[in-house]
C-alpha cells in the first residue's frame, strides 16, 4: 500500500498539532494546578506580613524583599560585566585563540549545574571572604551563574548589528568607543535586554545556589550582610519539610505571577525599543 | 587645474594577507576636480578609495607600503588622528546604509561625534548637508522620521548629506549609484557637479558612461595597477593604452 503525498501531509499536520497541544496542556495543567491550590490563600496580609511559626502562619513579605534584593543585586553586577565582556569579545579583539577560549569557557559555565555554583559561592564568598550567609554572597553567586547567559545573548544581539553600521560610523569620524555606544549598543539593546530578563527569571527561580549562599533566614534583612530566604527557597522548604502546603502553593502562585508579569513587561518594553531603533 | 595637489599618492601598494591588491600606485588628486576611477571587478579601485581615508584599517589582514600625502603629511603616519582624517576625507558607500535613527540624527551623527553639542549649530549643519545633497526640500518637514522610510535614492542622498554635514575637503564616492534608478542617479550627479566647486571628488564607478559624463579626469585601474590617467574626454576618445581601449569599448570586464 502506498501513502499518497496528500495523505502524509494530512497525517503530519495532525501529528504536529497533537504534539504541540500536549506541550501546551502540560504547561497549562502545572500553572493551573498551582494557581487553583494557591490563589485562595493569597490576600493582602499574606503579601505584607512576616511569617510566624516557621511559615505555618503569617505572610511572605521578607521573602519578597529578599528575592528582590538578591536578584536585583545579582543582575546589577552581572549585566555590566557581561555586556562589557561581550563588547571586548566582539569589537575590541580579533577572532583568535583567546576569544575562542573565553567563548568555550562561558559555554562550559552555562552548562554547570547551579548547585556547583552554590558550592563555590559557599566556599569562596561565605567562608573564605567571610561574607557569611548573606544577600551579598547570594547575589555574587547568582551573578556568576547568569553571566554566561548574558554574554551569549548579548553576543548574538551585537553580532546581528549590520557591519555597514560600523563602517558608516567609522567613516563619519567616530572613535571605536563612540561607534560601540552610539550605534552598536543602541541597535543591540532589545536583544541584550532579552538576555537580562532571562537571567532575572533564572535568579528568581534558583533554589540550590541561594540556599548555600544567602541562607534561609525568615526575618526581614537589615543589611547587605543579613541572611534572607528567597521565594523559591521558601516554597521548597515549606513543601519539603511539610510545614504548610497551603502557604507553599500560595508562594508558588506569587512566583509564577511575578515571572509572568516580568516577562510581559519586558516583552512590551523590548517591542517598543525594537520599534524605536528601526 | 591648480598645481597644489590635495592628495599625493606615492608608490602606494596594498596587501590583504600578503596578496598584493594595489601595486605602486602614483597619482595626485587636486581640489575642485572630479576624478573618476574605472576598471573591472577586482581591479583594486574600491581598495584604493578606502585606503584614502584609512577605512581598510578595519581589516585585520590589511597592510600597505608607500605613502599617501594629505596636508603635507603621510596619512598612515602614527601621529595622524584617524577619526578627524575621516571627517576631512568623507566616504559614501555603494549601498545606502542609513543608521537606525531619524533623518536628522543620521545627518547630525558626524558633527555630534566630532564634539559639536550646540543645537543651533547642529541644525545649521544638517540643513547645509541636506541642501548640498539636493534633499532638503523633500525631507525638511519630516526630519524626525526614521531614515529607513526614505526611498533608495533619497537614502543615498541622505548618506551624501551625512558626509557633507562634516564639511569635508575630499569626497570619496564608492559606486554611489550602483543600486539607483536613472533619475536618482541624475540627482546624485547634479549634486557632484555642484560639489566640485568646493571639494575634491573621487568617484569609483563600474559605469563607464557615468565616468565619461560626470568627471574631469579618469583613471583606469586593472589588476591593482594604474594603467592610464588623463583628462576624461581624452581617455574616452583617444586612450593611450590598448587595455584601456578594450575596457571602455566593452571588450572585457
Amino acid at each position: 500500500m502506498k501513502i499518497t503525498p496528500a495523505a502524509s501531509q494530512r497525517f503530519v499536520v495532525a501529528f504536529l498539532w497533537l504534539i504541540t497541544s500536549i506541550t501546551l496542556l502540560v504547561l497549562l495543567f502545572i500553572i493551573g494546578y498551582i494557581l487553583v491550590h494557591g490563589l485562595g490563600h493569597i490576600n493582602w496580609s499574606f503579601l505584607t506580613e512576616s511569617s510566624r511559626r516557621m511559615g505555618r502562619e503569617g505572610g511572605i513579605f521578607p521573602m519578597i524583599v529578599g528575592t528582590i534584593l538578591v536578584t536585583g543585586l545579582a543582575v546589577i553586577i552581572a549585566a555590566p560585566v557581561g555586556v562589557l565582556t561581550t563588547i571586548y569579545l566582539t569589537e575590541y579583539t580579533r577572532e583568535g585563540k583567546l576569544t575562542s577560549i573565553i567563548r568555550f569557557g562561558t559555554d562550559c559555565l552555562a552548562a554547570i549545574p547551579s548547585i556547583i555554583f552554590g558550592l563555590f559561592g559557599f566556599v569562596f564568598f561565605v567562608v573564605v571572604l567571610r561574607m557569611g550567609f548573606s544577600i551579598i554572597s547570594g547575589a555574587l553567586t547568582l551573578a556568576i551563574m547568569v553571566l554566561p547567559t548574558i554574554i551569549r545573548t548579548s553576543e548574538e544581539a551585537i553580532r546581528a548589528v549590520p557591519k555597514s553600521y560600523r563602517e558608516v560610523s567609522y567613516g563619519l569620524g567616530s572613535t571605536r568607543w563612540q561607534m560601540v555606544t552610539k550605534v552598536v549598543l543602541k541597535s543591540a539593546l532589545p536583544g541584550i535586554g532579552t538576555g537580562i530578563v532571562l537571567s532575572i527569571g533564572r535568579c528568581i527561580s534558583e533554589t540550590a545556589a541561594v540556599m548555600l549562599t544567602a541562607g534561609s533566614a525568615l526575618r526581614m534583612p537589615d543589611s547587605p550582610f543579613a541572611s534572607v530566604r528567597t521565594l523559591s527557597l521558601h516554597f521548597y522548604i515549606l513543601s519539603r519539610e511539610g510545614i504548610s502546603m497551603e502557604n507553599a502553593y500560595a508562594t508558588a502562585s506569587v512566583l509564577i505571577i511575578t515571572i509572568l508579569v516580568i516577562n510581559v513587561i519586558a516583552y512590551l518594553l523590548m517591542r517598543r525599543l525594537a520599534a524605536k531603533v528601526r | 587645474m591648480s598645481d597644489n595637489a590635495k592628495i599625493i599618492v606615492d608608490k602606494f601598494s596594498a596587501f590583504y594577507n600578503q596578496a598584493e591588491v594595489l601595486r605602486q600606485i602614483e597619482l595626485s588628486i587636486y581640489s575642485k576636480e572630479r576624478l573618476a576611477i574605472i576598471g573591472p571587478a577586482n581591479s583594486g579601485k574600491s581598495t584604493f578609495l578606502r585606503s584614502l581615508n584609512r577605512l581598510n584599517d578595519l581589516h585585520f589582514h590589511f597592510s600597505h607600503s608607500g605613502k599617501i600625502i594629505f596636508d603635507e603629511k603621510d596619512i598612515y603616519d602614527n601621529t595622524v588622528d584617524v577619526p578627524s582624517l575621516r571627517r576631512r576625507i568623507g566616504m559614501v558607500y555603494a549601498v545606502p546604509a542609513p543608521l537606525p535613527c531619524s533623518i536628522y540624527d543620521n545627518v547630525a551623527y558626524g558633527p555630534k561625534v566630532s564634539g559639536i553639542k550646540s543645537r543651533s549649530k547642529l541644525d545649521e549643519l544638517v540643513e547645509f548637508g541636506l541642501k548640498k545633497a539636493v534633499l532638503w526640500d523633500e525631507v525638511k518637514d519630516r526630519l524626525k522620521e526614521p531614515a529607513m522610510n526614505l526611498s533608495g535614492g533619497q537614502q543615498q542622498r541622505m548618506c551624501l548629506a551625512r558626509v557633507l554635514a562634516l564639511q569635508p575637503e575630499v569626497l570619496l564616492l564608492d559606486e554611489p549609484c550602483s543600486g539607483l534608478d536613472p533619475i536618482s542617479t541624475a540627482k546624485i550627479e547634479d549634486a557632484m557637479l555642484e560639489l566640485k566647486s568646493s571639494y575634491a571628488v573621487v568617484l569609483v564607478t563600474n559605469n563607464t558612461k557615468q565616468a565619461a559624463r560626470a568627471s574631469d579626469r579618469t583613471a583606469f585601474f586593472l589588476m591593482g595597477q594604474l594603467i592610464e590617467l588623463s583628462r576624461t574626454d581624452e581617455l574616452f576618445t583617444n586612450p593611450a593604452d590598448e587595455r584601456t581601449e578594450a575596457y571602455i569599448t566593452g571588450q572585457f570586464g
Side-chain angles (χ1 to χ4, degrees), chain A residues 94 167 169-170 173 178 277, chain B residues 50 86-87 93 100 109 113:
Chain A
R94 65 169 99 178
E167 286 208 334
S169 180
Y170 280 128
Q178 284 174 323
V277 295
Chain B
R50 296 164 66 90
R86 293 190 184 134
R87 278 193 279 275
Y93 305 88
Y109 184 85
V113 296

Side-chain angles (χ1 to χ4, degrees), chain B residues 13-23 47 61-64 224:
Chain B
S13 301
F15 310 85
Y16 287 124
N17 287 328
Q18 321 300 330
E20 195 174 41
V21 287
L22 284 177
R23 192 174 308 159
T47 304
H61 304 295
F62 175 79
S63 59
H64 78 283

Side-chain angles (χ1 to χ4, degrees), chain B residues 112-160:
Chain B
K112 267 186 194 161
V113 296
S114 78
I116 296 174
K117 290 202 175 70
S118 143
R119 188 78 197 181
S120 58
K121 182 74 186 158
L122 286 174
D123 287 348
E124 198 181 293
L125 288 170
V126 168
E127 185 175 341
F128 170 83
L130 287 169
K131 275 187 170 156
K132 284 269 178 188
V134 214
L135 187 61
W136 176 251
D137 290 329
E138 290 164 61
V139 300
K140 64 180 175 208
D141 299 320
R142 47 181 186 135
L143 292 173
K144 294 287 165 217
E145 270 182 38
M148 304 279 185
N149 289 0
L150 296 172
S151 74
Q154 288 174 324
Q155 283 185 9
Q156 191 61 309
R157 275 179 286 146
M158 186 202 73
C159 294
L160 182 61

Side-chain angles (χ1 to χ4, degrees), chain A residues 191-206:
Chain A
I192 294 174
T194 308
I196 292 176
V197 173
L198 274 177
S199 26
I200 293 178
R202 276 195 70 193
C203 287
I204 292 180
S205 47
E206 184 52 44

Side-chain angles (χ1 to χ4, degrees), chain A residues 93-95 163-165 167-176 178-179 182-183 186-187 276-278, chain B residues 50 53 55 58-61 83 86-87 91 93 97-101 106 109-110 113 146 148 162-163 166:
Chain A
T93 45
R94 65 169 99 178
E95 288 298 314
K163 203 173 152 229
S164 63
Y165 291 2
E167 286 208 334
V168 164
S169 180
Y170 280 128
L172 293 170
S174 75
T175 59
R176 192 174 289 258
Q178 284 174 323
M179 186 272 294
K182 286 174 196 285
V183 175
K186 226 174 118 190
S187 1
K276 231 182 191 172
V277 295
R278 215 151 268 153
Chain B
R50 296 164 66 90
N53 73 346
L55 270 174
L58 305 184
H59 286 271
F60 288 116
H61 304 295
R86 293 190 184 134
R87 278 193 279 275
M91 164 89 94
Y93 305 88
L99 294 173
C101 51
N106 260 281
Y109 184 85
V113 296
M148 304 279 185
R162 199 161 60 178
V163 173
L166 285 165

